[in-house]
Amino acid sequence: MSEQQPPAKPWSGRFNAPTDAFVEAFTASVGFDRRLYRQDIAGSIAHATMLARCGILSEAERDLIVAGLERIRDRIEAGDFAWSVTLEDVHMNIESALTGDIGEAGKKLHTGRSRNDQVATDIRLWLRDEIDAIAAELRRLQRALLNLAEREAETVMPGFTHLQTAQPITFGHHMMAWFEMLDRDHGRMADCRRRLNRMPLGAAALAGTTFPIDRAYTAELLGFDAPMENSLDAVSDRDFAIEFTSAAALVMMHLSRMSEELVIWSSAQFGFIELADAFCTGSSIMPQKKNPDVPELVRGKSGRVFGHLMALLTLMKAQPLAYNKDNQEDKEPLFDTVDSLRGSLKIFADMVPAITCRPDMMRTAALKGFATATDLADYLVRKGTPFRDAHEVVGKAVAYCIDQEKDLADLTLEELRRFSEAIDTEVFEVLTLEGSVAARNHLGGTAPGQVRAAIARARQRVDD
Ligand code: ARG
């Protein structure tokens, strides 16, 4: 007989003494796994529906269970549900409340399942929804980049290697590089979702159940592609969490690179762009400051997501099959990964459309640092000079320019011809920034026409 005391633990039968109070708090997960309540209830409704269809529950019992679970969901959403640490986790809290509400039928819900297959199912259902939201956010950011790329398809800026002036590029081309990074991320998320969408339920504790269940039916009710093949694997696998966190770490790494460039570009020294006031903050002491806090914080948040990836790998390392309590530690890193990633993507997708470009500043910067030196070398090659000799000639011309404090385009034909007689008057077209970008006119090149073609192809990809 169970007494009318604090809620009885569903597993208390074989115990004579109560759990140590600190052990109870230490082993409980309800403080964080209550976040899975919707998935837990959806999984239980599908399980009960399947049990009734297989004749394991009566239809009346199923109806009581389903209605009871829906009432609990409403109560949780209304903030009218008392979570109990004594009841350890979200699963036992909900089951206990159900039995309190509908009586005997509630006690039958756990037939043919275990918390081990239940929790594995809940996390997969939860992460599946989160991946869908993340994929949509990635697309929103990608579209914002496409619009910015289109707007600035002709805007010339210096391209860098080693953060030293390399060759002129268009701002649109740079935005399309970011787009491609995110497009691979979108693909990785889709890939992860495909492997994740298998159902553990029916594995029960580890070996399956003695009841004549229909796993394919439960899987169909929950939108899984299929039940998992092996019951031991079903309850012990957390590959999907690691795979997701690794894909998330890559997105964050990409966002940190974008952040770094936004921070550099918005500095007074570069002045290539301005971020909207709504995405910056001031300084409490320096009145002139407008700090790019948002990209800085996103850059910083990449670190915690990388840490979660290492935490999850280490969590799973060397665990014997099948379920171990260690696995309860999968949730907080996973939840924080999702929160950090979704927040970062949202803020980027909101911030990017509000970026103002300063083409004059980009142009001035592109004119410094001899960005068209390669164009001059290529010109000489077209005139019959071997590339290595052309490289040498232009190197000497650059040294001369540095000495004279001039740009290559400022030199007279006379001066240029001192370095190579192959040089003619049409060389000046080659030395302009516009001529330089327009000349890189092939698939993947920076010419404005190529950037526009890349944008058109990309629009089709994101609309698929
Ligand atoms: N709270 C547990 C977890 O998150 C649920 C599964 C517990 N199963 C068990 N046999 N103790 O992993």
Side-chain angles (χ1 to χ4, degrees):
M1 289 297 291
S2 58
E3 314 81 14
Q4 285 296 80
Q5 275 187 350
K9 296 183 198 299
W11 45 254
S12 60
R14 62 101 65 221
F15 286 80
N16 298 316
T19 318
D20 173 270
F22 186 70
V23 169
E24 192 169 272
F26 187 78
T27 54
S29 54
V30 65
F32 48 87
D33 69 12
R34 65 168 88 168
R35 186 166 177 171
L36 301 173
Y37 79 91
R38 282 193 138 265
Q39 291 72 26
D40 195 68
I41 288 173
S44 289
I45 288 176
H47 180 65
T49 305
M50 179 279 290
L51 290 178
R53 178 156 141 150
C54 297
I56 303 164
L57 286 180
S58 73
E59 295 195 345
E61 286 166 335
R62 175 201 61 202
D63 292 347
L64 276 172
I65 289 172
V66 171
L69 287 168
E70 283 170 350
R71 276 194 300 277
I72 290 173
R73 184 173 57 208
D74 293 345
R75 270 170 51 205
I76 295 173
E77 279 167 8
D80 177 28
F81 188 87
W83 297 99
S84 153
V85 173
T86 304
L87 289 169
E88 203 176 313
D89 55 26
V90 62
H91 323 293
M92 296 205 296
N93 267 269
I94 290 175
E95 191 191 325
S96 166
L98 179 70
T99 302
D101 184 11
I102 66 170
E104 287 301 302
K107 296 188 196 165
K108 297 190 178 179
L109 171 62
H110 213 51
T111 311
R113 78 170 182 189
S114 149
R115 276 185 297 154
N116 298 349
D117 57 346
Q118 192 178 352
V119 70
T121 303
D122 290 2
I123 316 173
R124 282 172 191 260
L125 287 172
W126 178 83
L127 191 54
R128 191 175 70 184
D129 286 351
E130 294 297 330
I131 288 176
D132 290 344
I134 287 162
E137 233 21 12
L138 276 168
R139 286 303 197 215
R140 192 161 74 88
L141 174 54
Q142 286 183 284
R143 287 198 183 90
L145 290 173
L146 288 176
N147 294 338
L148 189 53
E150 194 140 61
R151 208 175 79 198
E152 309 292 343
E154 315 244 349
T155 305
V156 178
M157 66 182 285
F160 300 94
T161 61
H162 313 269
L163 204 58
Q164 309 288 315
T165 303
Q167 292 170 356
I169 57 170
T170 56
F171 192 82
H173 195 53
H174 201 112
M175 292 304 99
M176 290 306 288
W178 290 2
F179 172 93
E180 291 297 331
M181 288 147 71
L182 296 174
D183 209 46
R184 290 192 294 276
D185 290 327
H186 188 272
R188 271 186 283 270
M189 287 293 165
D191 225 36
C192 173
R193 189 194 197 282
R194 203 172 310 124
R195 259 185 302 280
L196 165 150
N197 203 26
R198 298 282 143 110
M199 187 194 70
L201 274 182
L206 75 164
T209 172
T210 56
F211 296 95
I213 57 172
D214 181 350
R215 298 185 68 213
Y217 180 58
T218 322
E220 191 190 315
L221 290 176
L222 291 171
F224 283 111
D225 294 331
M228 290 181 75
E229 284 286 335
N230 180 285
S231 65
L232 294 175
D233 181 50
V235 290
S236 66
D237 169 42
R238 295 292 183 275
D239 292 2
F240 63 91
I242 297 174
E243 195 174 338
F244 167 78
T245 306
S246 132
L250 280 167
V251 185
M252 291 303 297
M253 180 273 284
H254 288 152
L255 294 181
S256 81
R257 297 185 72 178
M258 297 177 200
S259 295
E260 177 76 359
E261 295 191 320
L262 292 175
V263 170
I264 292 173
W265 293 347
S266 61
S267 69
Q269 287 67 26
F270 273 72
F272 289 4
I273 60 155
E274 199 176 328
L275 299 173
D277 284 1
F279 295 91
C280 295
T281 60
S283 157
S284 53
I285 173 166
M286 296 169 282
Q288 85 283 13
K289 293 278 274 187
K290 179 173 161 184
N291 294 329
D293 285 36
V294 165
E296 289 173 80
L297 198 53
V298 169
R299 191 174 60 185
K301 279 182 191 292
S302 61
R304 61 203 267 175
V305 173
F306 302 171
H308 294 325
L309 173 60
M310 199 45 63
L312 288 171
L313 281 167
T314 313
L315 174 69
M316 297 314 294
K317 176 183 179 294
Q319 264 197 50
L321 300 186
Y323 177 86
N324 301 285
K325 182 74 168 178
D326 314 40
N327 285 356
Q328 183 166 290
E329 286 287 307
D330 62 355
K331 288 167 207 65
E332 288 162 294
L334 192 58
F335 291 165
D336 190 69
T337 296
V338 164
D339 293 341
S340 302
L341 178 57
R342 282 190 67 173
S344 301
L345 283 172
K346 177 191 159 33
I347 213 154
F348 251 75
D350 292 343
M351 179 177 65
V352 164
I355 289 177
T356 309
C357 286
R358 300 262 174 264
D360 50 327
M361 294 295 283
M362 295 190 208
R363 194 178 176 78
T364 308
L367 287 170
K368 283 187 227 156
F370 309 102
T372 54
T374 317
D375 296 87
L376 180 55
D378 288 354
Y379 167 84
L380 288 170
V381 169
R382 284 195 296 277
K383 291 273 188 174
T385 314
F387 183 78
R388 277 296 154 223
D389 293 342
H391 188 287
E392 174 80 11
V393 164
V394 179
K396 292 221 160 76
V398 166
Y400 174 80
C401 284
I402 292 170
D403 193 49
Q404 301 284 306
E405 293 183 12
K406 281 180 174 174
D407 187 68
L408 282 172
D410 300 332
L411 300 185
T412 62
L413 187 58
E414 286 291 81
E415 282 176 298
L416 282 166
R417 284 178 64 89
R418 269 185 238 157
F419 300 97
S420 166
E421 305 227 312
I423 298 178
D424 269 320
T425 163
E426 77 277 23
V427 71
F428 292 107
E429 280 158 48
V430 163
L431 294 179
T432 65
L433 297 177
E434 281 67 26
S436 172
V437 293
R440 286 164 173 79
N441 189 20
H442 53 77
L443 192 141
T446 195
Q450 291 294 340
V451 172
R452 290 213 170 82
I455 294 169
R457 289 192 301 272
R459 284 207 193 279
Q460 293 195 328
R461 272 194 273 161
V462 293
D463 288 340
D464 274 352

